[in-house]
Amino acid sequence: MHLTKIEEEMLAGKMGPAVELAMKTIVQMGEGLDAERLIATEGSHLGNVDLLRRCTGYIGIVEKFVELGAEVQIPTSVNPYPADPRNSESPTIPEVFQGPSPLEDYYRRLQVIPNWTCTPYLYGNIPRFGQHLSWEESSAVIYVNSVIGARANREPILMDLVSAITGRTLHSGLHMDENRRGEILCNVKLKELKCDDFAAIGYYLGKVCGTAIPVIDGIQQKASMASLKNMGAAAASTGAISMYHIPGLTPEAPTLEKALGDRKPTEIVEIDDRVLEETKEEMSSAGHGGEIDIVGVGCPHYTFDEVVSIARHLKGKKVKDGVQLWICTHQGAIELAKQQGIAEIIKEAGGRLFSGCLYCLHTVNPYADMRLMSDSGKICYYRRALYGTQRECVAAALSGRGGER
């Protein structure tokens, strides 16, 4: 693998032992993947502190970097806690996540941005068009590639960290122009497209596209930051999609032809009302109706607009006794909600607004066995749940029962 003079100096230890160790790791990964060279990267995003708290191998590696005096060389953020122990609105933290985690202190000493969110592009680590990144978190990777036009692969654990320490990543995958062209044309033909349909559209696309890049036509009028976030998160869960194009909307797709790289699509798929309804049925794997224990929304973290929207549905109402309503968002949105009285509306209704990870909470006891309803395509893929729109989720929280379709 070709290295520049500066990269050779990094590998030789001339920039310190921490950079040397990180560069050796990157070079080994690159040789294993037949990468021809490295590229400078301008941002990184690390995995979840609490999901990794029992991964002794990873903790040992991070500890070694800290002992060697490592610091990140580029803006580097981190995924959220399952629940924020510093926020009284957070639910009870499951036993498996209780107690101190050494990774929090290690990340602090590495100079990682403590934004604790799965949507760093909204809060704390906002990239720009054309930047090369080394990010974990599949829902964030698909968003920055597609909506912002930054360049990132779905990095494995450790690659994001060593890239942050060296400012380098592999020149491969979606960092290369030829790998960013659309492959499958998806025509969305619904009688009435709604913003809440985007999660189901993404859920279906991930299943039919796998790793291929879809070009999605027919959703331009209803696309918003929140709907594109939710669509991408679902697509990156049911499949391994890391990028999509929307002609006339996303930055690398001024036209349908350019989105496809001036080639014919390898396949054409259609999403009509029947496909959408069947997909929503599949997403609701826990069935419909009946009593529920938890309503969980905000996976990925809600935008501020989504927090405002759910507060409007809750204003002057009360969550049913025995039902928990969890609303996850980033700390920036929480502070805005406090300033504008929105957080108080949610609290008075019986909801909990906090920066946490619904996926982490819902997959371990005591919450794993509880009946859950969510508007998240990602949650509905990884856990048995009832699927519903935001409005339907609020109605379920108020009545204590999932809606019938």
Side-chain angles (χ1 to χ4, degrees):
M1 185 169 63
H2 172 74
L3 298 179
T4 66
K5 183 178 179 180
I6 292 177
E7 290 163 355
E8 288 177 345
E9 291 176 352
M10 290 180 180
L11 188 61
K14 293 184 178 180
M15 297 184 182
V19 173
E20 177 186 3
L21 178 59
M23 182 59 75
K24 284 181 178 178
T25 305
I26 291 177
V27 169
Q28 288 177 347
M29 289 184 175
E31 290 175 345
L33 295 171
D34 293 326
E36 295 182 358
R37 61 185 179 91
L38 305 179
I39 53 172
T41 180
E42 298 180 77
S44 186
H45 182 70
L46 307 181
N48 187 285
V49 169
D50 280 299
L51 280 184
L52 298 172
R53 65 161 53 224
R54 299 184 187 278
C55 296
T56 55
Y58 178 77
I59 291 174
I61 293 170
V62 179
E63 182 180 36
K64 180 66 174 179
F65 277 120
V66 171
E67 291 174 348
L68 293 174
E71 290 187 0
V72 299
Q73 303 301 307
I74 53 180
T76 303
S77 48
V78 63
N79 254 14
Y81 290 93
D84 186 352
R86 292 157 292 196
N87 184 345
S88 61
E89 296 303 308
S90 288
T92 301
I93 299 175
E95 183 178 353
V96 69
F97 295 131
Q98 289 179 5
S101 169
L103 284 175
E104 180 177 359
D105 179 59
Y106 293 160
Y107 285 167
R108 179 185 58 79
R109 293 164 68 180
L110 289 167
Q111 303 297 310
V112 172
I113 301 166
N115 57 342
W116 311 111
T117 181
C118 53
T119 58
Y121 49 84
L122 298 178
Y123 174 66
N125 192 4
I126 304 171
R128 66 177 186 273
F129 178 83
Q131 279 189 317
H132 293 278
L133 310 172
S134 181
W135 280 23
E136 270 196 68
E137 177 52 46
S138 62
S139 69
V141 169
I142 192 172
Y143 188 93
V144 297
N145 275 317
S146 310
V147 182
I148 295 176
R151 300 188 169 208
N153 292 320
R154 290 172 59 152
E155 299 289 15
I157 292 172
L158 186 59
M159 186 64 188
D160 49 4
L161 179 60
V162 294
S163 292
I165 293 170
T166 60
R168 296 292 189 277
T169 193
L170 305 181
H171 184 244
S172 63
L174 293 175
H175 292 287
M176 305 170 70
D177 290 343
E178 59 268 29
N179 295 330
R180 297 177 66 85
R181 299 165 182 160
E183 299 166 273
I184 297 176
L185 175 59
C186 174
N187 293 314
V188 179
K189 298 181 178 180
L190 303 175
K191 291 179 180 178
E192 183 184 3
L193 175 66
K194 301 175 182 177
C195 291
D196 291 312
D197 292 331
F198 279 70
I201 290 171
Y203 194 100
Y204 180 77
L205 284 177
K207 292 172 54 186
V208 299
C209 294
T211 60
I213 297 176
V215 177
I216 312 164
D217 199 19
I219 63 173
Q220 288 85 340
Q221 290 185 341
K222 291 290 185 177
S224 66
M225 178 184 292
S227 60
L228 295 179
K229 165 183 67 76
N230 298 332
M231 180 179 73
S237 299
T238 58
I241 298 176
S242 295
M243 185 176 186
Y244 58 80
H245 296 289
I246 303 173
L249 185 64
T250 52
E252 296 177 61
T255 65
L256 176 61
E257 292 73 23
K258 291 300 180 184
L260 290 164
D262 295 315
R263 303 173 300 182
K264 291 184 177 180
T266 58
E267 184 181 351
I268 299 176
V269 300
E270 185 173 301
I271 297 180
D272 56 20
D273 291 284
R274 178 187 60 81
V275 170
L276 190 68
E277 189 59 30
E278 290 177 352
T279 300
K280 290 179 180 179
E281 285 291 328
E282 181 179 340
M283 292 168 71
S284 202
S285 57
H288 304 289
E291 295 183 353
I292 57 171
D293 302 301
I294 305 173
V295 174
V297 298
C299 182
H301 277 173
Y302 260 7
T303 65
F304 179 64
D305 287 345
E306 287 177 300
V307 174
V308 172
S309 175
I310 199 167
R312 287 173 179 159
H313 293 316
L314 286 168
K315 189 172 183 179
K317 301 171 184 176
K318 284 288 186 181
V319 172
K320 185 177 178 60
D321 289 344
V323 177
Q324 300 187 59
L325 172 59
W326 297 348
I327 305 165
C328 285
T329 186
H330 56 81
Q331 196 60 42
I334 291 174
E335 290 304 316
L336 285 174
K338 288 179 179 178
Q339 292 177 29
Q340 296 193 0
I342 295 166
E344 188 62 26
I345 291 172
I346 293 171
K347 184 176 181 178
E348 288 181 354
R352 295 176 177 267
L353 180 66
F354 64 101
S355 178
C357 176
L358 293 179
Y359 167 75
C360 298
L361 288 172
H362 287 155
T363 53
V364 298
N365 289 326
Y367 305 118
D369 295 329
M370 295 184 181
R371 203 152 187 258
L372 166 72
M373 185 168 183
S374 181
D375 61 354
S376 165
K378 182 171 185 174
I379 287 293
C380 290
Y381 177 70
Y382 287 116
R383 187 206 195 275
R384 281 179 56 82
L386 287 77
Y387 169 74
T389 66
Q390 184 188 83
R391 184 184 294 273
E392 290 168 341
C393 284
V394 170
L398 299 178
S399 68
R401 299 183 63 84
E404 301 285 353
R405 283 195 180 277

